[in-house]
Amino acid sequence: MSVAKKEYKRVTVKSLIEMKQSGEKISMLTSYDYSMAKIVDAANVDVILVGDSASNVIAGHETTLPITLDQMIYHASSVVRAAKRALVVVDIPFGSYQSDSKEALRSAIRIMKESGAHAIKVEGGTEIKESVSRILQAGIPVMGHLGLTPQSIYKFGTYTVRAKEEEEAEKLKSDAKLLEELGCFGIVLEKIPAKLAQEVAESVSIPVIGIGAGNGVDGQVLVVHDLLGMTHEFHPRFLRRYMNLYDDMSEAISQYVDDVKSRDFPNDDESY
Ligand code: KIV
């Protein structure tokens, strides 16, 4: 049964604002390749995020820092080919927008032009306001990302909950207002107290999508490999696993190895 209030043939940034206004929660999930994005899109996920978490999940790096702009464009173009309904948002990777706003714009343009994506996402608030403005002026929709911003992991030191203290919470609230004023179409809030996230969501007119930010926001985002239980060593409190694919896949692949070794595969029906 669908719980959507309105059918969208193609989700746009305007549709997301409409969803917030009508109280319809927004679903967002990552994808990094064609096959997964096809399934995610067909399941009516509203927004597909080509996250720089590809650096962890796909490439096996410890952080999101090593992934390059070229690699993000490769992932994004594969996802765009699969997405018929969802809005495709792409993370601008670390090192391709921080030095100055012209570089930020060049990176955003490359993503839009070479992948065909619909929007980009950046991490940070006031520190990157010139870049955000310049990208928006070029007509590129921008989504912000506040709270635990993984590209700053070496500044934070750990992946624990952010903005528990008053000073950081106040900065987060003013950064969210700033991103709204600059013209961003949405904000991701990662790993912050649910009460603070709800306060932010109620204080801005643009959709606020949470990951580890409670249920008082306008939508939720997860890494698809986490939701499917493929990353079985990762189990933060905010994660709801809908499958245990790691075990199911391991079992299937072990069975295949056994079948090859025992000469059971291929049988006559599987041969020409
Ligand atoms: O890169 C990513 O997957 C993200 C989500 C965790 C929001 O930014």
Side-chain angles (χ1 to χ4, degrees):
M1 188 195 71
S2 167
V3 286
K5 294 198 172 170
K6 183 177 163 186
E7 298 298 326
Y8 290 94
K9 277 206 158 76
R10 175 52 99 175
V11 177
T12 64
V13 295
K14 282 224 169 70
S15 325
L16 299 182
I17 303 211
E18 218 174 86
M19 287 181 198
K20 170 159 181 147
Q21 285 165 350
S22 71
E24 175 173 347
K25 295 278 186 180
I26 297 164
S27 58
M28 177 162 157
L29 259 190
T30 64
S31 292
Y32 318 102
D33 67 85
Y34 178 82
S35 308
M36 184 71 86
K38 218 165 154 54
I39 299 169
V40 169
D41 186 66
N44 282 344
V45 167
D46 298 312
V47 184
I48 300 182
L49 173 66
V50 185
D52 57 2
S53 50
S55 180
N56 313 104
V57 179
I58 304 297
H61 293 296
E62 210 167 293
T63 72
T64 58
L65 276 67
I67 200 160
T68 66
L69 186 57
D70 284 337
Q71 288 165 342
M72 287 303 296
I73 290 170
Y74 168 77
H75 287 299
S77 53
S78 309
V79 168
V80 167
R81 283 192 284 277
K84 302 288 174 250
R85 176 184 176 275
L87 182 84
V88 178
V89 180
V90 182
D91 268 333
I92 301 208
F94 176 74
S96 60
Y97 64 99
Q98 287 89 350
S99 55
D100 67 56
S101 63
K102 283 192 185 156
E103 189 203 22
L105 177 58
R106 272 195 298 275
S107 301
I109 288 176
R110 278 203 60 202
I111 289 175
M112 301 298 283
K113 229 177 156 65
E114 296 176 37
S115 75
H118 311 128
I120 58 103
K121 174 163 85 58
V122 286
E123 293 185 6
T126 182
E127 315 78 17
I128 55 158
K129 70 171 187 235
E130 278 166 31
S131 296
V132 171
S133 293
R134 204 180 264 266
I135 297 169
L136 284 164
Q137 275 162 26
I140 300 172
V142 178
M143 178 170 238
H145 183 155
L146 300 171
L148 176 63
T149 45
Q151 292 179 10
S152 304
I153 189 59
Y154 290 117
K155 182 175 86 181
F156 299 144
T158 71
Y159 285 99
T160 51
V161 180
R162 304 302 315 171
K164 281 163 93 174
E165 306 300 330
E166 185 68 17
E167 196 182 336
E168 194 177 336
E170 286 307 316
K171 175 166 176 356
L172 189 144
K173 285 193 263 184
S174 76
D175 279 343
K177 275 309 240 185
L178 174 70
L179 292 172
E180 178 192 30
E181 280 158 21
L182 291 174
C184 289
F185 72 87
I187 302 171
V188 166
L189 292 183
E190 181 164 351
K191 236 175 164 185
I192 64 167
K195 193 163 165 284
L196 172 64
Q198 178 163 358
E199 204 184 314
V200 172
E202 285 168 358
S203 75
V204 293
S205 58
I206 54 174
V208 171
I209 314 290
I211 173 163
N215 208 356
V217 289
D218 306 305
Q220 299 294 328
V221 56
L222 283 177
V223 167
V224 69
H225 290 66
D226 297 339
L227 171 152
L228 296 173
M230 290 170 82
T231 48
H232 74 148
E233 69 287 356
F234 181 65
H235 31 76
R237 173 180 168 146
F238 68 75
L239 175 62
R240 185 179 293 182
R241 279 195 209 291
Y242 288 82
M243 291 187 83
N244 189 352
L245 262 193
Y246 185 94
D247 286 350
D248 291 348
M249 288 171 80
S250 301
E251 213 175 289
I253 293 165
S254 301
Q255 185 63 55
Y256 164 74
V257 172
D258 288 351
D259 291 351
V260 170
K261 299 279 182 196
S262 68
R263 296 182 163 77
D264 179 78
F265 176 79
N267 60 25
D268 287 349
D269 290 345
E270 290 155 339
S271 305
Y272 296 99

